[in-house]
Amino acid sequence: MKRLGRNLRDFAPALLLIAGLLALWEVISRAVEMPDWLLPAPSDIGASFGEAAPLLGPHVAATVTAAAAGYALALASAIVLAAAIDRWGLARRAIYPLLVTSQTIPTFALAPLLAIWFGFGLLPKVLVVALVCFFPIVVATVGGLRAADKEMLDLVRGMGASDRQLFFKVRLPAAVPSVISGMKIAATYSVIGAVIAEWTGASQGLGLYLLRASNSFQTDQVFAVIAVIALLSIALFGCVELVGRTVAPWTAAKEETAR
């Protein structure tokens, strides 16, 4: 209960700021009589969301499925590759620069290619999400693995531990907070990656719904979908935060102590 009260107190300024901005937006929209197709008032967006809610269910499910599957693929492959980069210097020198270079390629350029190669089903969307989420997780994991305490490594090595034991007993536990940080960043990207993939071709999904609403000048629907995308990203971030508190409770204790 005390933690809940602390969390509410921490988020109160942000919630108050959002409420104030929405109120200001509402007042300005009504005062200048802004056309709905140009910039609808928040109340109109809320009403539009209520009307569209029954239709959004399948689209939300499709986007969440692609985001979750791509995120899981990115997490598994990033940890494996990070372990290889940490273990072998040659892999680090050969692969790490390519990872950095890969971030210069826009996702918009890759999504159509993946759709051409793998069709318009779930697979290309999962791959786009995985590509978007992969980099922050692997970079954070590599940094965490290489930041393991040197004295602890020397101590365990002096006790006769093998490289495998050093990795699982010292390096990986030490990297958990960094891995979780990378996972949080990737979680906010996952839904956006799924939406981008759906723009290139899909039968369902928030990206498709957003594209149709935009092409029809249904601006209130566009804002409603944007709000849903933001809420989904926040929800995934919260899930990762919860997992982090469960897997590495000492990090949460440090954060509370710092407050």
Side-chain angles (χ1 to χ4, degrees):
M1 196 68 180
K2 185 182 295 185
R3 178 181 295 176
L4 178 60
R6 186 183 295 113
N7 289 336
L8 290 175
R9 187 170 61 251
D10 291 340
F11 287 114
L15 295 176
L16 289 174
L17 177 60
I18 292 172
L21 292 175
L22 289 176
L24 181 62
W25 180 358
E26 181 76 25
V27 170
I28 293 175
S29 297
R30 300 302 180 189
V32 302
E33 298 182 353
M34 190 76 69
D36 289 343
W37 62 267
L38 182 61
L39 184 63
S43 58
D44 294 332
I45 295 172
S48 175
F49 176 78
E51 296 173 0
L55 302 175
L56 286 175
H59 296 285
V60 171
T63 300
V64 169
T65 299
Y71 185 83
L73 177 60
L75 177 60
S77 56
I79 291 178
V80 171
L81 185 60
I85 291 174
D86 178 71
R87 177 67 179 84
W88 295 292
L90 180 60
R92 181 169 60 254
R93 293 190 297 272
I95 298 175
Y96 204 80
L98 295 179
L99 289 176
V100 177
T101 305
S102 69
Q103 297 308 293
T104 64
I105 303 174
T107 306
F108 280 105
L110 291 177
L113 291 176
L114 293 174
I116 292 172
W117 294 337
F118 300 105
F120 297 99
L122 180 62
L123 179 58
K125 300 169 185 57
V126 171
L127 293 177
V128 169
V129 175
L131 290 173
V132 171
C133 297
F134 178 79
F135 184 75
I137 300 177
V138 72
V139 169
T141 304
V142 170
L145 291 173
R146 298 188 64 80
D149 189 278
K150 303 299 182 184
E151 294 183 358
M152 179 64 71
L153 288 170
D154 292 338
L155 175 62
V156 178
R157 187 181 290 111
M159 297 171 65
S162 63
D163 289 341
R164 183 175 180 275
Q165 290 173 321
L166 283 173
F167 178 81
F168 285 103
K169 299 295 185 181
V170 181
R171 290 186 180 276
L172 189 57
V176 167
S178 297
V179 175
I180 293 172
S181 296
M183 290 172 62
K184 289 179 183 178
I185 297 172
T188 61
Y189 293 163
S190 60
V191 178
I192 301 301
V195 169
I196 291 173
E198 289 164 353
W199 284 347
T200 61
S203 58
Q204 283 185 331
L206 291 176
L208 176 64
Y209 193 97
L210 184 65
L211 193 61
R212 288 176 175 173
S214 178
N215 292 337
S216 303
F217 290 93
Q218 295 177 308
T219 311
D220 52 351
Q221 296 280 342
V222 172
F223 276 104
V225 176
I226 290 174
V228 173
I229 292 171
L231 290 174
L232 287 176
S233 298
I234 294 171
L236 288 175
F237 183 92
C239 291
V240 175
E241 176 75 20
L242 181 60
V243 170
R245 290 179 177 273
T246 303
V247 175
W250 63 88
T251 58
K254 286 182 179 179
E255 290 178 0
E256 293 182 1
T257 301
R259 292 175 185 175

